[in-house]
Amino acid sequence: MNTKVSNKDWEEVLFAFKNKEYGAYKSRKKLNKILLFATVAGLSLAIAAYLSPLIYSWFKVEQREKTEMIPVKLTTQNELMTPPPVLPKEEPKPPPEKISAKVATKRFVKPEIRPDEEVVEEELPPTLKDLETAAPSTKNQEGTANILQEYVIPVTEPEPEPEPEPEPEPEREVYTHVQKWPKFPGGDSAMFHYISKNLQYPEAAIDFGIQGMVFVQFVVTKNGLIENVEVIRGIGGGCDDAAMEVIKKMPKWTPGFHNENAVAVRFSIPIKFKLDD
């Protein structure tokens, strides 16, 4: 006895007493076709997914092979460093000269008294009738008679006056004898105290045992300033420079006076260099 039941028979038995118009019956009838379609579709999608990179690369290679090569010209460094050509500079054209119409003029200058035999007819002043069609001037000239519109009275610009030369400064008079001598602030004792305090004994003079008197001459201006410092008798060894340096650094003096006026006075003082025993 064959107990094997096919799917078709099994479906008939399963739905023998049921409504076959129900959807489940139809679905089970088409189950094999649906499974087959799903299997084929799934395999197709899997194969397409697997082969898609290969297909894409194949199209890419084919497209790359069809790409047109465009030649490119490279510019060398020397060409880049070459400066552009200098275009010739066009000089600006001068504006056209404006030609104005000439105006008729008659010579009319200041009359001079002369003897009758020296009077020249051409030098006679113009009449009023002549001046109706001509303008007065220093010479006779033919031209338009419309003097009211065309004639422009020439204006001569005055020559600039020469600049006056600067007056030379008068030479400063330096007095050697005055009624009132210049004075150091505080007097002579304060001056010699200032010198002894600020005078630097040169090391070279100390090493060689140089000592003595240096006579320094200078000018006290009318403003009390010290100028033109110089040594008129020195001893060397750097003592001369040291003496001038201490004089140049002196504060402002009271100027000397002569005839009740402050004047520049030449002054001289001795500065003593002495080594301690």
Side-chain angles (χ1 to χ4, degrees):
M1 180 176 179
N2 187 9
T3 58
K4 186 176 181 181
V5 180
S6 64
N7 289 337
K8 186 177 181 181
D9 296 337
W10 176 253
E11 291 171 359
E12 292 294 335
V13 172
L14 184 61
F15 289 92
F17 302 100
K18 296 180 180 179
N19 185 9
K20 293 183 179 181
E21 297 299 326
Y22 185 66
Y25 177 76
K26 293 180 179 181
S27 298
R28 293 185 69 88
K29 292 285 287 184
K30 298 178 181 179
L31 180 61
N32 293 333
K33 293 182 180 180
I34 292 173
L35 291 175
L36 179 61
F37 178 77
T39 303
V40 173
L43 290 175
S44 300
L45 290 174
I47 294 171
Y50 177 76
L51 296 178
S52 59
L54 297 176
I55 297 173
Y56 175 78
S57 61
W58 181 75
F59 277 109
K60 196 71 175 177
V61 171
E62 184 178 0
Q63 185 179 4
R64 191 182 301 118
E65 291 177 355
K66 292 182 180 180
T67 301
E68 183 180 358
M69 299 297 292
I70 301 175
V72 178
K73 182 181 179 181
L74 299 178
T75 305
T76 62
Q77 186 177 3
N78 293 333
E79 293 178 354
L80 291 175
M81 296 177 63
T82 304
V86 179
L87 299 178
K89 185 177 180 181
E90 296 183 359
E91 297 182 358
K93 297 181 179 179
E97 296 182 358
K98 185 178 179 181
I99 302 175
S100 58
K102 290 185 177 181
V103 178
T105 59
K106 287 291 184 179
R107 187 174 184 272
F108 185 46
V109 295
K110 182 179 179 180
E112 297 180 3
I113 300 175
R114 298 181 183 178
D116 293 342
E117 59 272 9
E118 296 181 5
V119 175
V120 182
E121 186 176 355
E122 294 181 355
E123 297 181 356
L124 293 176
T127 63
L128 294 176
K129 187 177 180 180
D130 294 335
L131 294 178
E132 290 179 357
T133 57
S137 180
T138 57
K139 64 180 181 178
N140 296 326
Q141 176 178 282
E142 295 181 357
T144 178
N146 192 1
I147 62 174
L148 297 179
Q149 295 183 3
E150 301 293 341
Y151 183 66
V152 178
I153 299 175
V155 179
T156 57
E157 296 182 359
E159 296 182 359
E161 297 181 359
E163 296 182 0
E165 296 182 358
E167 296 181 0
E169 295 182 359
E171 295 183 1
R172 182 184 61 179
E173 185 177 0
V174 180
Y175 290 79
T176 55
H177 294 86
V178 291
Q179 295 172 348
K180 186 177 180 181
W181 286 90
K183 186 178 180 182
F184 185 86
D188 293 343
S189 59
M191 179 184 67
F192 287 111
H193 176 73
Y194 166 84
I195 293 175
S196 62
K197 182 179 178 181
N198 295 277
L199 183 64
Q200 300 292 331
Y201 211 120
E203 294 184 1
I206 296 173
D207 294 339
F208 289 97
I210 298 174
Q211 56 184 352
M213 196 77 70
V214 177
F215 291 86
V216 182
Q217 189 179 76
F218 54 93
V219 174
V220 180
T221 67
K222 63 181 180 179
N223 297 322
L225 302 177
I226 304 298
E227 293 182 354
N228 302 336
V229 182
E230 59 181 348
V231 173
I232 56 177
R233 191 173 73 184
I235 58 177
C239 295
D240 301 346
D241 294 335
M244 288 194 299
E245 188 68 22
V246 75
I247 296 297
K248 290 178 180 178
K249 293 181 179 181
M250 278 185 172
K252 193 173 182 181
W253 285 43
T254 301
F257 283 83
H258 193 73
N259 294 332
E260 299 182 356
N261 294 320
V263 293
V265 181
R266 194 179 306 280
F267 202 86
S268 61
I269 58 174
I271 297 178
K272 187 176 182 179
F273 287 85
K274 185 178 180 181
L275 296 173
D276 295 334
D277 294 336

